[in-house]
Amino acid sequence: MSKNNGQFLKIIDLDGAFDKRMAEYFSKKRNQFTEEEWENFFAQSYITFSDTKIESLNATPNEYYQKMNHADLLACIRLHFEKQVPIDGFLRRALEEERNRPILRALLDGDNQQAAFAVEIAGMDTSFYEVYVELLSREDSHNLHALLVDVLKEDADSLCDGLLELYSQGISCEPIADIVSHCLVPREEVFFLLLDEFLKADECLEQAVMRLVRYGDERALPYIKERAAREETDYLDFRALRLACEALGGSLPERDFSTSEEYLRFAQEEERQREERNQLEEKA
């Protein structure tokens, strides 16, 4: 337990405690339930557990986090991260309440793990968007950036100016490119940003060209065709470029990859899958 503001906080995974109790019960009654009966029993038992007072908490699971003030709830969630205790559904539900928005704001100022968790809970709450954009400047935070992209892409147009400013500073170029590729209002700055990311792409070529496809500006076609024609462009990249070219209304001439190990592996896998489908059709 941890002391905070004169109160003791018990850091516990309530869902984990319930699952352990059910596993013990199931091991004793294994052959006494059908699968459907067990599912119904599990669901009803969880409802009962949620409203059963736990002496060590001096509250039911439904009440425990609800009774905490902001300071205690923030200390509690941070201790969950510090001690690597899983965050149960009861704690999540408490943090989803409107009254606890200040706690999520505080978590956004925490480390990348805490910030990512806060983004998961707050989601598309536009009051947090300014902070979300600032979080894109954090380094070594792939998971956090992925969550931010997933949220911010829905409002790419309204956020575009701030994102372009970050990009001009060389900050989080790929996540920003992912977001602005969802812009619906055509902007020269966005097109040339996406084109720049494509031209310098190496390992992430498919991702870069799909941004151009998503944006839908056919001016990208000559650049895609030029990249596809390069001798060093391998088979899988060529496939991605061909699909992108067709999506933008163009086409690419075929290239001979018959001596490529990558092509041969891919062709063998396609043949294996084709044979499996044929066998399944014959059995049917």
Side-chain angles (χ1 to χ4, degrees):
M1 292 191 293
S2 174
K3 191 172 184 181
N4 185 65
N5 293 338
Q7 296 181 356
F8 284 95
L9 302 177
K10 188 172 180 62
I11 309 307
I12 183 173
D13 173 13
L14 287 165
D15 284 342
F18 173 77
D19 290 343
K20 181 179 179 181
R21 181 182 300 181
M22 286 295 97
E24 292 172 353
Y25 184 85
F26 180 72
S27 66
K28 296 176 182 178
K29 307 286 185 177
R30 183 183 301 273
N31 299 319
Q32 298 182 27
F33 292 95
T34 65
E35 183 176 349
E36 183 178 357
E37 288 172 335
W38 172 250
E39 290 177 354
N40 292 335
F41 177 77
F42 186 95
Q44 185 57 51
S45 296
Y46 190 77
I47 294 173
T48 301
F49 170 76
S50 301
D51 290 318
T52 299
K53 185 174 181 178
I54 299 174
E55 293 301 325
S56 62
L57 301 180
N58 192 32
T60 69
N62 275 334
E63 295 171 339
Y64 185 53
Y65 302 111
Q66 298 290 336
K67 293 166 66 175
M68 292 184 185
N69 59 35
H70 281 175
D72 285 346
L73 194 53
L74 179 58
C76 182
I77 184 65
R78 282 183 166 159
L79 282 168
H80 270 266
F81 284 109
E82 179 184 326
K83 297 179 180 296
Q84 298 183 356
V85 176
I87 296 169
D88 56 59
F90 299 99
L91 180 51
R92 274 183 171 269
R93 283 192 290 277
L95 292 169
E96 288 169 355
E97 294 182 11
E98 187 66 30
R99 68 184 181 91
N100 290 324
R101 276 322 196 228
I103 295 174
L104 296 181
R105 178 62 183 83
L107 290 174
L108 289 171
D109 289 332
D111 62 25
N112 289 339
Q113 187 181 19
Q114 293 180 26
F117 174 77
V119 173
E120 286 181 6
I121 300 295
M124 297 177 64
D125 184 334
T126 56
S127 66
F128 288 114
Y129 278 11
E130 184 177 348
V131 182
Y132 285 179
V133 172
E134 293 175 2
L135 289 174
L136 286 170
S137 63
R138 289 195 180 184
E139 298 179 352
D140 302 321
S141 51
H142 177 76
N143 181 52
L144 175 59
H145 284 173
L147 290 168
L148 292 169
V149 168
D150 198 47
V151 172
L152 298 178
K153 69 184 183 182
E154 302 299 331
D155 285 284
D157 285 297
S158 62
L159 298 168
C160 192
D161 287 336
L163 294 169
L164 290 173
E165 175 61 27
L166 273 183
Y167 185 87
S168 69
Q169 300 171 34
I171 296 174
S172 296
C173 294
E174 288 197 11
I176 290 173
D178 285 336
I179 297 169
V180 299
S181 68
H182 288 83
C183 284
L184 299 177
V185 179
R187 294 181 59 156
E188 290 294 284
E189 308 99 302
V190 172
F191 171 69
F192 286 109
L193 181 158
L194 299 176
L195 182 61
D196 182 59
E197 286 297 304
F198 170 71
L199 292 175
K200 68 184 183 183
D202 186 11
E203 295 180 359
C204 300
L205 179 62
E206 182 176 1
Q207 181 181 356
V209 74
M210 290 313 298
R211 294 191 198 109
L212 288 169
V213 170
R214 186 183 301 122
Y215 194 64
D217 193 321
E218 63 185 22
R219 288 180 297 171
L221 280 170
Y223 302 95
I224 295 173
K225 291 179 179 180
E226 187 278 329
R227 185 65 178 264
R230 293 183 190 177
E231 184 176 348
E232 65 268 23
T233 298
D234 61 30
Y235 175 67
L236 292 181
D237 281 345
F238 178 82
R239 280 173 56 93
L241 293 166
R242 182 172 60 189
L243 289 173
C245 194
E246 292 171 352
L248 290 172
S251 62
L252 288 179
E254 291 293 337
R255 284 182 53 185
D256 182 11
F257 288 96
S258 59
T259 60
S260 164
E261 292 184 7
E262 194 173 52
Y263 168 79
L264 293 173
R265 284 196 302 270
F266 193 86
Q268 289 171 358
E269 178 60 21
E270 281 192 326
E271 179 60 27
R272 185 188 66 78
Q273 293 178 6
R274 188 180 301 109
E275 290 178 358
E276 287 183 354
R277 287 195 298 271
N278 291 337
Q279 291 174 2
L280 289 173
E281 291 173 0
E282 289 174 2
K283 291 180 181 180

